[in-house]
């Protein structure tokens, strides 16, 4: 059952705080959530299950190519561009995203280094993509000594956007605007584990949730 999958040690999908109920995610995986979960809602004419299986196969192929290119980087060579162009953008395209680069955005009278948005629409949700070697929870000098996670959360709270994604290619987190500054609430996906293990069921949940 998904409940066991989410709670067990080594799970590739982890909930922090009250972003979603585990019962909702389990029903989503089983296809019991009807609203927005038909093949036509994903822009598909054929089988949703077949589309998910094909997307997972394609994602693993993108991952394998990305890892080979990552291993060729010289020590100290920047990995952000490679992570964005050769992995994150192709991967998220399989979930229906067409990332648009924006660099800096404004909210609450400040400028924020939020690299992308989910598609070319200026109102599309923010997507912060950092390098593979960057820790999502540690302060980074390139981000004004804020962590990627903290930066995106602060931006969501300062803007009108409700949801956002932050990823370093190894992990992906879905964040929500929240007034509770001391309590983190997010869903985290271990992309590395998802791609290198036999994890189509968990990929199916990610596809259904984020597409």
């Amino acid at each position: 059952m998904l409940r066991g999958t989410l709670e067990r040690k080594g799970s590739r999908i982890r909930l922090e705080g009250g972003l979603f109920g585990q019962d909702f995610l389990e029903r989503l995986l089983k296809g019991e959530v009807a609203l927005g979960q038909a093949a036509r809602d994903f822009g598909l004419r054929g089988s949703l299950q077949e589309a998910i299986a094909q997307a997972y196969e394609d994602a693993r192929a993108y991952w394998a190519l990305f890892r080979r290119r990552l291993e060729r980087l010289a020590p100290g060579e920047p990995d952000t561009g490679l992570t964005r162009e050769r992995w994150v953008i192709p991967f998220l395209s399989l979930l229906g995203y067409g990332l648009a680069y924006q660099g800096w955005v404004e909210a609450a009278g400040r400028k924020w280094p939020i690299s992308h948005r989910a598609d070319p629409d200026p109102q599309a949700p923010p997507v912060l993509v950092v390098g593979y070697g960057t820790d999502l929870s540690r302060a980074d000098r390139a981000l004004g000594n804020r962590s990627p996670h903290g930066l995106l959360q602060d931006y969501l709270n300062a803007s009108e956007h409700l949801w956002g994604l932050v990823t370093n290619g190894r992990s992906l987190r879905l964040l929500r605007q929240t007034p509770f500054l001391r309590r983190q609430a997010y869903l985290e996906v271990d992309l590395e584990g998802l791609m290198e293990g036999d994890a189509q069921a968990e990929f199916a949940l990610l596809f259904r949730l984020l597409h």
Side-chain angles (χ1 to χ4, degrees):
M1 294 178 64
L2 179 62
R3 182 182 299 276
T5 298
L6 288 173
E7 291 180 345
R8 74 169 185 262
K9 184 177 180 180
S11 173
R12 302 173 184 94
I13 298 178
R14 183 172 67 90
L15 280 170
E16 181 73 28
L19 189 64
F20 295 105
Q22 291 181 341
D23 288 342
F24 167 76
L25 295 179
E26 186 169 341
R27 289 170 49 228
L28 186 64
L29 181 60
K30 292 179 179 179
E32 296 175 357
V33 177
L35 184 63
Q37 290 296 311
R40 63 180 178 275
D41 296 318
F42 294 85
L44 302 173
R45 294 183 178 179
S47 164
L48 177 58
Q49 288 73 25
E50 290 179 3
I52 291 174
Q54 184 62 60
Y56 186 48
E57 182 178 333
D58 291 346
R60 296 181 79 178
Y62 284 139
W63 173 261
L65 180 59
F66 165 65
R67 286 303 303 265
R68 288 198 297 270
R69 294 187 176 184
L70 189 67
E71 290 169 358
R72 296 175 189 162
L73 290 180
E77 186 175 353
D79 60 2
T80 302
L82 180 65
T83 303
R84 291 175 178 175
E85 301 300 326
R86 299 300 181 180
W87 168 234
V88 172
I89 291 176
F91 172 72
L92 288 179
S93 73
L94 298 173
L95 303 182
Y97 293 80
L99 293 196
Y101 181 78
Q102 58 185 2
W104 292 82
V105 290
E106 293 188 8
R110 298 171 55 188
K111 289 188 176 182
W112 306 77
I114 306 297
S115 63
H116 295 75
R117 54 183 181 271
D119 61 51
D121 185 339
Q123 303 304 315
V127 180
L128 176 57
V129 186
V130 296
Y132 184 84
T134 301
D135 191 314
L136 295 183
S137 297
R138 290 189 178 182
D140 189 286
R141 186 178 301 176
L143 300 177
N145 290 322
R146 287 172 291 185
S147 70
H149 180 112
L151 174 64
L152 182 62
Q153 185 67 71
D154 289 346
Y155 173 69
L156 289 174
N157 293 344
S159 71
E160 297 181 356
H161 294 290
L162 185 61
W163 300 93
L165 297 173
V166 58
T167 181
N168 56 12
R170 289 180 289 122
S171 298
L172 182 146
R173 294 180 184 177
L174 172 66
L175 279 64
R176 188 184 191 281
Q177 185 186 100
T178 175
F180 303 110
L181 300 180
R182 294 186 178 181
R183 181 183 179 186
Q184 291 189 336
Y186 59 91
L187 180 141
E188 181 174 55
V189 181
D190 174 7
L191 294 178
E192 185 173 32
L194 204 64
M195 294 300 108
E196 296 189 356
D198 183 11
Q200 185 169 320
E202 287 169 290
F203 178 81
L205 173 60
L206 180 67
F207 190 97
R208 287 179 174 276
L209 187 64
L210 295 187
H211 195 287

